[in-house]
Amino acid sequence: MGGVDGPALESLREALRGPVVAPGDTGYDEARSIYNAMIDRRPAAIAGCVDVADVRAVLSFARDTGTAVAVRGGGHSGPGLCLADDGLTLDLSPMRWAHVDPEARTARVGGGAQLGDLDHAAHAFGLATPAGIMSTTGVGGLTLGGGHGYLTRAFGLSIDNLLSADVVLADGTFVTASEDDHPDLFWALRGGGGNFGVVTSFTFRLHPVDAVGVAVTLWPVDRTREVLQWYREFLPAAPEELYGFFALLTVPPGPPFPEPIHGRKMCGVVWCYTGDLADDRLEKTLTVVNAPGPPAFHFSTPMPYPALQTMFDQLLPKGLQWYWRGDFFDRVSDDAVAVHEKYGQNLPTALSTMHLYPVDGATRRTGAGDTAWAYRDAVWSGVVAGIDPDPGNAGMVRQWCVDYWSDLHPHSMGGAYINFLGEQESADRVRGTYRGHYDRLAEVKRAYDPDNFFRANQNIPPPAA
């Protein structure tokens, strides 16, 4: 492992337009902080890249000094894979921009952009693309893992709407990957994570989305069995313009929730409707929420799409303790319902939760082998998340998450959304997440990163020669 200090550090600073922050510098602790405060790593340097030239310079420096590199986009990595102790963090956050072509209905987005940047730029023209449920999530990490969100049932995954990507490879070569150029790399980037290079920009297809119908429906947590049994049948059969993720949660204080239910454990669904909102169409669609029993709370309203994307930002700001694990599900069996019922009644902290995100609908219109995403037959992408502001509770929320996931995993499809894997999970778990696509991904890795230079990720090593 090479060093990043003294003359070497100064040479890196001279080579970049962006800032380079190292231990002892003012702002170092802020520069190394990421969304998940449970991660406490000390890189040898954090190199901010304002353009492709900076990216190439950082990679050249890392190769010359033998320094390990981790790549940071939005900094939302749950397991903190964007930081490496004593390594070099290539920080794309200065490349935070989004340019929209309203006539072509496309957006070109910088590698350090957050979803809110894309949503804001596209919404000015009444456009959007499927990408997450929080505006602070990084576009890069979310997309390279596949990317699902409120618009997925209507328009597919983020990668289903990715048209091209600008990539700097480990040797410094700059390429644009698309269906026509470097198609093998383009295939791998769509779900294969950060294994293949530094993506400095993404170009997405956009869809007409302006105001959406938003609703939140909650039932007491002791109704979890009835509600989840109803939801598992209703949602997959619903029109694609209706999206709703199921959650176990503690009701936060404040609007739109009335004071009598503040702090109560609940199960519920957060809905997004992209259909026609005329004639109270959303509420007519959601009259079915009474089927499992009258809800304790139901609220609906039209809302600009970017407002929906920011709805959880204040509830879940940067700096909380997070521990999560996920799995894909093609059904929610009665045995799985019993697991959710058990752990929902024992949420360990006010912010700890479980979500089942729908990944059916339009996602099925992309072929099973067309991208690296290997679970086109999944119906839900589930995640269990232990969350709390107090570092003293980190062990508790972690154990609750591990126990919950361990009991639920036997009822899953075996693999998970790559962005919901933790750092501690095994190579077999990564292989299982890619199913039969793994060997093809490994061959692409050998072609574009034969030395496994990019390994601070859910790693797919190149096969031995």
Side-chain angles (χ1 to χ4, degrees):
M1 176 72 69
V4 186
D5 53 19
L9 182 62
E10 288 309 309
S11 71
L12 179 62
R13 287 186 165 128
E14 291 172 3
L16 301 189
R17 293 180 67 196
V20 177
V21 183
D25 291 344
T26 301
Y28 173 73
D29 284 336
E30 175 59 26
R32 71 184 181 93
S33 69
I34 58 173
Y35 185 73
N36 182 5
M38 197 178 287
I39 306 302
D40 183 19
R41 301 204 179 106
R42 301 185 66 84
I46 299 150
C49 297
V50 302
D51 54 22
V52 170
D54 276 1
V55 172
R56 296 186 68 200
V58 171
L59 296 181
S60 176
F61 175 88
R63 291 194 306 272
D64 291 346
T65 60
T67 306
V69 170
V71 181
R72 180 166 70 186
H76 254 248
S77 170
L81 297 173
C82 52
L83 299 174
D85 281 325
D86 300 320
L88 181 61
T89 286
L90 190 159
D91 183 11
L92 295 171
S93 62
M95 300 176 70
R96 186 175 168 181
W97 47 264
H99 301 153
V100 172
D101 182 337
E103 293 188 4
R105 290 184 178 175
T106 61
R108 187 164 175 259
V109 184
Q114 297 181 0
L115 300 189
D117 303 318
L118 170 58
D119 295 336
H120 173 78
H123 184 69
F125 302 99
L127 300 169
T129 203
I133 66 163
M134 291 185 65
S135 75
T136 57
T137 303
V139 171
L142 177 121
T143 301
L144 294 173
H148 55 69
Y150 289 117
L151 303 181
T152 287
R153 296 195 78 235
F155 303 116
L157 302 170
S158 301
I159 54 173
D160 300 338
N161 295 278
L162 184 65
L163 299 175
S164 67
D166 290 339
V167 190
V168 183
L169 305 177
D171 64 1
T173 303
F174 176 81
V175 300
T176 297
S178 68
E179 292 283 7
D180 298 322
D181 298 305
H182 300 278
D184 53 343
L185 176 61
F186 188 55
W187 177 86
L189 290 173
R190 287 176 290 169
N195 275 281
F196 308 100
V198 181
V199 181
T200 56
S201 75
F202 301 82
T203 300
F204 294 98
R205 178 187 303 110
L206 302 176
H207 303 271
V209 177
D210 194 352
V212 294
V214 176
V216 179
T217 312
L218 301 178
W219 296 263
V221 74
D222 60 11
R223 302 296 304 278
T224 296
R225 179 177 296 271
E226 297 94 324
V227 174
L228 194 45
Q229 287 176 337
W230 163 77
Y231 169 82
R232 72 185 181 188
E233 304 298 329
F234 168 74
L235 199 282
E240 291 179 355
E241 60 261 29
L242 182 65
Y243 174 99
F245 76 80
F246 179 87
L248 294 165
L249 72 156
T250 302
V251 179
F257 306 110
E259 188 172 349
I261 66 170
H262 290 177
R264 290 181 58 187
K265 291 181 174 62
M266 295 273 184
C267 64
V269 182
V270 178
W271 307 97
C272 174
Y273 181 68
T274 54
D276 187 352
L277 294 176
D279 301 323
D280 209 18
R281 212 62 74 77
L282 172 63
E283 271 307 295
K284 290 176 181 176
T285 302
L286 291 180
T287 55
V288 294
V289 299
N290 292 296
F297 173 80
H298 179 74
F299 167 84
S300 67
T301 185
M303 186 180 291
Y305 176 68
L308 171 61
Q309 286 281 79
T310 62
M311 199 162 68
F312 297 114
D313 288 1
Q314 289 187 341
L315 181 66
L316 297 170
K318 178 181 176 181
L320 300 174
Q321 306 287 309
W322 280 79
Y323 192 87
W324 64 38
R325 287 191 178 182
D327 269 317
F328 287 121
F329 300 87
D330 58 359
R331 62 181 56 86
V332 181
S333 67
D334 285 345
D335 288 340
V337 170
V339 175
H340 291 303
E341 187 176 34
K342 172 184 174 182
Y343 285 92
Q345 291 173 341
N346 295 285
L347 296 169
T349 62
L351 294 176
S352 295
T353 189
M354 187 286 304
H355 292 174
L356 287 173
Y357 299 111
V359 289
D360 60 337
T363 300
R364 304 286 176 83
R365 293 199 284 275
T366 298
D370 290 352
T371 67
W373 176 281
Y375 281 83
R376 294 285 170 179
D377 52 343
V379 181
W380 290 281
S381 171
V383 63
V384 178
I387 312 168
D388 196 67
D390 185 356
N393 289 331
M396 176 182 64
V397 298
R398 181 187 190 280
Q399 192 60 55
W400 172 82
C401 177
V402 170
D403 291 346
Y404 191 161
W405 178 87
S406 298
D407 284 354
L408 190 60
H409 180 65
H411 310 294
S412 75
M413 299 176 75
Y417 180 37
I418 201 71
N419 290 341
F420 288 158
L421 294 188
E423 185 187 35
Q424 77 296 328
E425 300 191 45
S426 67
D428 287 343
R429 177 85 161 127
V430 175
R431 179 181 284 272
T433 286
Y434 289 114
R435 287 172 151 177
H437 293 172
Y438 184 88
D439 289 343
R440 181 178 173 185
L441 282 163
E443 290 298 330
V444 177
K445 179 75 167 180
R446 176 158 59 186
Y448 287 91
D449 185 16
D451 299 321
N452 203 15
F453 183 81
F454 297 110
R455 58 187 179 273
N457 44 45
Q458 301 297 352
N459 196 231
I460 301 171

